[in-house]
Amino acid sequence: MNFEKIPPVETPKELLDIAFRKAREKVTKKDFKGKPAERARDKGRVKIDISAGYIQSRLRKSMKDFPSFDHLPEFYVKLIDLTLDLGALKKSLAALNWAEGKILFFQRTYSKKVSAAREYETIQKQTKEFYGRVSSVLKQIKNNIEYLNECRKIMKTYPDIKDRFTVCLYGFPNVGKSTLLNKLTGTNAKTAAYSFTTKSINCGFLDGESPKKETAIQVLDVPGTLARKEKMNLIELQAELVLEELANLVVYVFDATETFPLKDQIKLYQKAKKKRPTIAYLSKQDILSKEQFSEFSKTLPEVEVISFEKLREQILSKRR
Ligand SMILES: Nc1nc2c(ncn2[C@@H]2O[C@H](COP(=O)(O)OP(=O)(O)OP(=O)(O)O)[C@@H](O)[C@H]2O)c(=O)[nH]1
Ligand SMILES: [Mg+2]
């Protein structure tokens, strides 16, 4: 599922400016015949139809651009629920639908009014009134459009998850998960020397294989998590969600460079192990001192320190 391509929803001002401009252009280009009142009537109807038609089609398009929530895989439903207000999102989409219906109603009403009008001034007045009504409808959904654009920004960060054997890189913040993802998959996820660099889920395929390949292994790098019961922030909850919903295998990344106490990292490791088959991997081996290595082995005698190459082999061997 690719959320990256959801285009922005036009603001009321943009919609109105373009709709009225299109209507103006159309009447200037078209050759109207008959008496002044007849011409004004025809022009009025064209203006109403062109502007209403444009706005309705744009609103309909925006509604379609958002995914249909009834057919989304469970993971995305939960991710949306976690990162957005699903109720408000649905309400905002329903507001676009409401506006489309209202504009259609005014289009019909004012088309009839203009057709029935005899006086030039009345026709002008009705057309202006129609524009006013349309503007007012769009102003009423201004907040909804703003909210949809906020949702769009967040949804653009959603990973494009494929139905493949999935490895989740899991662990404390700043331990080297994104660096490991880049090394395993050849992606270019952001890494930095501070915690909570990763704020959404990064995705790659082992050895840079094509996601189309049935046997490709999907690797997900999730935000770092502190083992804080009840107090997880939204970023951390996304990591939990991947673990619960998608992971076939967890690579738990340990960092022995004193970033976080090992005893805390172990708690989270035990938690992961209870949920999924888990491989422990010690990161930053190139900069660890002898003391740090022996401290790690002493604290976690059951964990074998493996090289990057060995980790890669183990992941391959665990594939279904
Ligand atoms: N020397 C060395 N540095 C590493 C290694 N892995 C990661 N780092 C460094 O550790 C820091 C954190 O790495 P990230 O990959 O961003 O860590 P992360 O676990 O993704 O961090 P969050 O996204 O904040 O949870 C960066 O400065 C990396 O360059 C490694 O194997 N060796
Ligand atoms: Mg990261």
Side-chain angles (χ1 to χ4, degrees):
M1 195 95 209
N2 195 344
F3 288 86
E4 247 178 69
K5 295 201 172 88
I6 304 176
V9 184
E10 284 132 324
T11 63
K13 187 177 178 315
E14 286 164 342
L15 283 171
L16 290 167
D17 284 353
I18 298 176
F20 296 162
R21 200 193 65 223
K22 279 186 182 291
R24 246 189 345 262
E25 282 170 4
K26 188 78 183 179
V27 289
T28 350
K29 272 190 205 139
K30 210 172 156 176
D31 193 14
F32 291 93
K33 299 208 164 59
K35 293 180 186 147
E38 267 172 52
R39 287 211 303 271
R41 232 177 1 245
D42 288 346
K43 280 185 187 177
R45 276 200 303 253
V46 168
K47 278 185 180 172
I48 291 172
D49 287 344
I50 295 288
S51 56
Y54 174 77
I55 296 173
Q56 287 166 63
S57 74
R58 297 308 296 175
L59 292 174
R60 250 194 326 270
K61 182 177 176 300
S62 291
M63 282 183 262
K64 276 209 206 108
D65 286 338
F66 279 82
S68 144
F69 301 107
D70 302 330
H71 301 106
L72 278 181
E74 191 65 14
F75 167 72
Y76 286 112
V77 175
K78 289 189 173 165
L79 187 59
I80 289 171
D81 221 5
L82 203 61
T83 50
L84 300 167
D85 182 343
L86 186 57
L89 173 55
K90 282 186 177 171
K91 225 169 106 182
S92 295
L93 287 170
L96 299 191
N97 194 38
W98 168 84
E100 190 202 345
K102 269 286 187 200
I103 290 167
L104 180 63
F105 169 77
F106 286 130
Q107 179 186 4
R108 287 183 179 151
T109 311
Y110 279 86
S111 243
K112 268 191 214 146
K113 282 189 181 182
V114 166
S115 301
R118 291 284 153 257
E119 312 270 313
Y120 179 83
E121 284 75 23
T122 325
I123 296 163
Q124 295 291 92
K125 192 175 143 254
Q126 302 287 12
T127 314
K128 225 172 133 186
E129 212 174 282
F130 168 76
Y131 277 2
R133 289 283 162 91
V134 172
S135 308
S136 144
V137 167
L138 291 183
K139 269 178 201 137
Q140 285 181 63
I141 61 162
K142 188 168 173 269
N143 290 344
N144 302 106
I145 291 179
E146 272 170 16
Y147 188 65
L148 288 173
N149 280 323
E150 267 176 48
C151 292
R152 168 185 173 261
K153 263 192 227 153
I154 293 173
M155 289 169 119
K156 276 172 89 77
T157 68
Y158 290 175
D160 184 6
I161 301 289
K162 299 281 189 282
D163 188 15
R164 295 281 175 271
F165 184 81
T166 299
V167 180
C168 169
L169 308 182
Y170 194 62
F172 264 60
N174 206 37
V175 295
K177 299 177 297 301
S178 300
T179 307
L180 185 58
L181 173 83
N182 293 340
K183 220 169 148 190
L184 284 168
T185 67
T187 46
N188 195 16
K190 185 179 172 196
T191 63
Y194 49 80
S195 295
F196 294 114
T197 303
T198 304
K199 294 186 173 58
S200 53
I201 300 151
N202 295 317
C203 177
F205 288 84
L206 190 67
D207 299 336
E209 283 207 288
S210 162
K212 286 189 190 131
K213 217 169 144 183
E214 285 286 321
T215 52
I217 297 178
Q218 179 167 241
V219 187
L220 301 180
D221 159 41
V222 299
T225 310
L226 300 162
R228 305 177 296 187
K229 262 191 211 156
E230 319 294 330
K231 277 204 298 194
M232 285 200 201
N233 61 32
L234 279 183
I235 301 177
E236 295 172 89
L237 285 166
Q238 290 186 52
E240 286 288 295
L241 187 62
V242 169
L243 197 71
E244 298 284 347
E245 295 289 327
L246 301 172
N248 301 106
L249 174 69
V250 172
V251 170
Y252 187 86
V253 183
F254 275 108
D255 179 352
T257 62
E258 294 164 0
T259 318
F260 290 98
L262 269 180
K263 68 170 184 13
D264 292 341
Q265 295 186 51
I266 291 168
K267 266 192 226 156
L268 190 62
Y269 170 59
Q270 307 290 13
K271 200 174 126 191
K273 255 191 1 179
K274 272 188 206 146
K275 293 194 173 162
R276 291 287 182 276
T278 302
I279 304 172
Y281 178 71
L282 180 61
S283 75
K284 309 183 186 176
Q285 291 180 31
D286 54 321
I287 51 165
L288 288 185
S289 64
K290 261 194 189 141
E291 292 72 30
Q292 284 169 322
F293 266 115
S294 57
E295 168 74 16
F296 181 78
S297 303
K298 216 170 73 199
T299 326
L300 268 159
E302 74 273 25
V303 169
E304 183 199 350
V305 176
I306 54 170
S307 65
F308 170 78
E309 200 36 54
K310 190 87 192 277
L311 171 69
R312 197 188 143 273
E313 279 166 21
Q314 286 198 5
I315 293 174
L316 279 165
S317 73
K318 293 265 163 59
R319 178 174 51 202
R320 277 181 300 214

